[in-house]
Amino acid sequence: MGLMERQSRIDATLAQVGARLRHLRTQRGVTLSALAEATGISKSTLSRLESGQRRPSLELLLPIAEAHQVPLDELVGAPEVGDPRVRLKPVVRNGRTVLPLTAQPGPLQAWKSVIPADQNQPQPVTHEGYEWMYVLSGRVRLIVGDHDLVMGPGEAAEFDTHLPHWFGPAGDHPVEVLNLFGRQGERMHMRAQPRPRQPS
């Protein structure tokens, strides 16, 4: 891509920022006055940004992104790329393969865990936060406090991670789970409960 073409794409992206800012603000029911108070940016400057009369800059966009609690990319609008595939970088932790699914830091983090069959000895832990998990494949044993459950594909659970907890294979086969983790007080939008284990 030539220099002029690249600059043209940048200009086109910046030209859409004002409309994005206005849409986000009105969608959330925030007035210009309230946003000015939250960001320290004058109401007139915010108005000129939204109308396209003021060129956006990091000094202006960062406080707005923080006030709305959204990533900066959402305000700017990341340009489309040729290859839409997400290239995951798996990490092995304590014998488990973890694939982070969250691109940037934030209150909620998502990842996929692949747990081998030999990781089946419970080792409960406690820590800050709140966790939601969804079983993708295999039979998962979940221990939370006094609860000892076996979950199958399609089942979900959520729990306070202050409680002693552990999950891993319930049998002799590996399992795959999807995890969402939030800070203490965060709650997931989906409120699913696992089925109690049926007596054998």
Side-chain angles (χ1 to χ4, degrees), residues 29-72:
V30 178
T31 64
L32 277 174
S33 298
L35 187 58
E37 184 177 347
T39 60
I41 301 171
S42 71
K43 183 178 174 181
S44 62
T45 298
L46 291 172
S47 179
R48 291 200 303 274
L49 271 174
E50 291 188 0
S51 66
Q53 297 174 5
R54 176 73 180 261
R55 186 177 178 87
S57 65
L58 278 177
E59 290 79 8
L60 295 173
L61 293 180
L62 285 174
I64 296 174
E66 184 177 351
H68 286 308
Q69 295 186 341
V70 298
L72 187 61

Side-chain angles (χ1 to χ4, degrees), residues 125-138:
V125 297
T126 62
H127 52 82
E128 286 281 334
Y130 201 83
E131 187 162 344
W132 177 91
M133 62 177 289
Y134 177 86
V135 181
L136 295 170
S137 68

Side-chain angles (χ1 to χ4, degrees), residues 25 43 70 72 74 99 102 114 123 137 161 165 169 186 200:
R25 180 178 61 78
K43 183 178 174 181
V70 298
L72 187 61
E74 188 168 328
L99 295 92
T102 312
V114 181
Q123 297 179 355
S137 68
T161 55
H165 62 280
E186 293 284 349
S200 54

Side-chain angles (χ1 to χ4, degrees), residues 12 52 88 138:
L88 304 176

